[in-house]
Amino acid sequence: MLSLDDALQRLVAGSRALALTQTETLSTFEAHGRVLAQDVLSVLDVPPADNTSMDGYALRAADVPAAGTVLAVSQRIPAGVVGAPLVAGTAARVFTGAQVPPGADAVVMQEQCEAMAGEGAGGNDGKGGAGLGNVRVLAVPTAGQWVRRRGEDVRAGAVALTRGSRLTPQALGLAASVGAGTLRVLRRPRVAVFSTGDELVMPGEPLRPGAIYNRTRFTLRGLLQAAGCEVRDFGIVPDRLEATREALRAAAAGCDLIVTSGGVSVGEEDHLRPAVMAEGRLENWQVAMKPGKPLAFGAVRRGNGSNGANGAAGSAAGEAANEALFVGLPGNPVSSFVTFVLCVSTVLRAIQGLPTALPRPLPLKAAFDWPRPDKRREFLRVRLNAQGEVELFDNQSSGVLTSAVWADGLVDNPASQAITRGDTVRYLPLSELVAR
Ligand code: AMP
Ligand code: MG
């Protein structure tokens, strides 16, 4: 039986030939979650000029040697307006986001100022032109205060976002900051999914005796969508060898990866292993982990050299592969969930050129005992408590999906290691594992 680390290594190695190279150019509006296929360079400084982060007065710090200094207000600069160079010994009324005029080196927030009517002026009525009055500055400023420096976020010529990184909402904002209205991204991974099991019925249909509702279909679809995949759902495949082979062929034709649930054990009703062996190659079918021991992977041939996943046009070296990757997950819903977030996510990252290491576990204190560990590496469904310790869901059966809904993380527990309350355990947040 392979260790999980070895299995992950082999999955990554096996994914190389399927690395995506096709790209598309999208509006930055549509690019959330995609992987950048270009560096995003900035042609401008961001911000493009020194500007104020406060409503107040822009001035030269040296002009206010003591609290109470009074300066004439020589101009008014709202955001979006370019001011004139600051006349020495005066202040400019400024509003958040407005450019700080040349000559000013500090902003005093309006809460530390007193607007005063000037001699013969109409007072600080904010109407601009004459009559801006005076301002009494109540605190001694230091040079640079409340000034956002030109280029402090991104310098002209710098790489704002690097090729191969995932476009998070923050990254989209940064792309927009440098004026990128479109982005070149990798095409989405195309993933086929099907469930096996004659006992499965879809919700909405009556549950005949002996049947259960198909749950993994929903979880796997959701996980694939969250990972930014184009999902091709082949539904429920009956527990028959020929039907399974047929489904694999159909799935391989148009997809980079086939993900299935159930039927990967060695029972008479488990047909995936022989079906994959007949339609491609099976590399492995057992991994030393709990939940998730029956976990098959390999590849399925694409019929007649036709390159369905990538189309005729633009198929670059990596995309000329005449196989689709295959990962067969166990049928139990917790097992398929856990093996997806550990293994399928790793494959998806590998084909998109993203780093494949699992998230770094956080060392946290266990608020539970786990006296009878398994001989396999275990992934326990846990949740943080108010003390920042880790609580265990009381039923760790791989059929109890409630545990995975309740949990906010998994404890990655080494093989045969008992846990006593207060021990440090390795906590993996689900927020990092899902949509990795
Ligand atoms: P299998 O891997 O096919 O032997 O299935 C293992 C267990 O998971 C059995 O109890 C199945 O009934 C159950 N199971 C398999 N597929 C699903 C599914 N899609 N939804 C819910 N339970 C499933
Ligand atoms: Mg089955």
Side-chain angles (χ1 to χ4, degrees), residues 5-337:
D5 288 338
D6 288 344
L8 291 174
Q9 219 167 55
R10 286 174 61 170
L11 284 166
V12 169
S15 303
R16 270 191 206 117
L18 270 288
L20 302 183
T21 56
Q22 278 184 346
T23 63
E24 52 190 323
T25 298
L26 295 183
S27 156
T28 303
F29 274 124
E30 307 300 326
H32 181 217
R34 295 303 201 92
V35 175
L36 260 179
Q38 60 164 119
D39 282 339
V40 177
L41 285 165
S42 185
V43 293
L44 64 149
D45 285 325
V46 180
D50 290 358
N51 70 92
T52 172
S53 59
M54 285 287 168
D55 290 331
Y57 294 84
L59 42 73
R60 272 185 200 85
D63 288 342
V64 184
T69 301
V70 174
L71 301 176
V73 179
S74 53
Q75 58 180 320
R76 180 177 186 277
I77 316 173
V81 167
V82 178
L86 187 72
V87 176
T90 73
R93 179 72 168 121
V94 291
F95 301 90
T96 304
Q99 292 190 5
V100 169
D105 62 7
V107 170
V108 181
M109 62 170 96
Q110 62 191 18
E111 291 81 353
Q112 295 185 334
C113 294
E114 231 174 76
M116 309 161 69
E119 296 146 23
N124 190 2
D125 59 2
K127 292 282 192 288
L132 290 170
N134 298 322
V135 60
R136 189 192 307 278
V137 182
L138 306 175
V140 177
T142 52
Q145 75 176 31
W146 306 122
V147 177
R148 303 167 177 153
R149 287 280 163 215
R150 168 181 184 157
E152 74 176 13
D153 192 350
V154 186
R155 288 236 163 261
V159 176
L161 296 167
T162 48
R163 177 195 170 122
S165 59
R166 176 91 79 185
L167 287 163
T168 60
Q170 310 90 288
L172 293 177
L174 195 56
S177 313
V178 303
T182 60
L183 294 169
R184 196 150 50 79
V185 299
L186 285 184
R187 73 159 169 82
R188 293 178 187 278
R190 292 176 193 137
V191 183
V193 60
F194 64 82
S195 335
T196 70
D198 286 343
E199 71 278 35
L200 303 177
V201 164
M202 289 303 289
E205 290 168 19
L207 206 57
R208 59 172 194 273
I212 56 168
Y213 283 121
N214 185 347
R215 14 193 207 174
T216 61
R217 186 173 182 186
F218 292 85
T219 303
L220 296 180
R221 265 177 85 105
L223 286 166
L224 288 167
Q225 283 162 348
C229 300
E230 204 178 296
V231 182
R232 307 219 173 145
D233 189 336
F234 287 77
I236 299 168
V237 172
D239 285 326
R240 282 187 291 111
L241 180 61
E242 200 38 58
T244 310
R245 289 184 59 173
E246 215 176 285
L248 287 174
R249 283 196 296 272
C255 290
D256 305 302
L257 169 66
I258 304 169
V259 178
T260 65
S261 69
V264 281
S265 270
V266 285
E268 282 168 32
E269 298 291 340
D270 294 320
H271 299 292
L272 263 166
R273 292 188 321 121
V276 172
M277 288 191 276
E279 295 295 332
R281 55 195 171 83
L282 187 75
E283 268 205 57
N284 181 71
W285 60 280
Q286 281 196 319
V287 176
M289 64 185 285
K290 187 178 178 189
K293 180 170 86 173
L295 181 95
F297 57 87
V300 176
R301 278 188 304 276
R302 290 195 186 120
N304 263 346
S306 83
N307 187 1
N310 292 292
S315 67
E319 300 195 314
N322 56 4
E323 295 180 324
L325 296 169
F326 165 80
V327 182
L329 306 178
N332 272 309
V334 180
S335 313
S336 54
F337 173 72

Side-chain angles (χ1 to χ4, degrees), residues 32-33 166 168 218-229 333-334 336-346 348-349 352 354 357-360 381 401 403-410 427-436:
H32 181 217
R166 176 91 79 185
T168 60
F218 292 85
T219 303
L220 296 180
R221 265 177 85 105
L223 286 166
L224 288 167
Q225 283 162 348
C229 300
V334 180
S336 54
F337 173 72
V338 170
T339 49
F340 185 104
V341 298
L342 297 173
C343 301
V344 178
S345 298
T346 298
L348 291 171
R349 292 182 68 84
Q352 295 177 91
L354 293 164
L358 293 179
R360 209 193 311 276
R381 275 72 67 210
L401 194 50
S403 69
V405 174
W406 177 90
D408 58 18
L410 300 174
Y427 170 87
L428 294 166
L430 282 184
S431 57
E432 288 200 34
L433 287 171
V434 173
R436 185 149 65 93

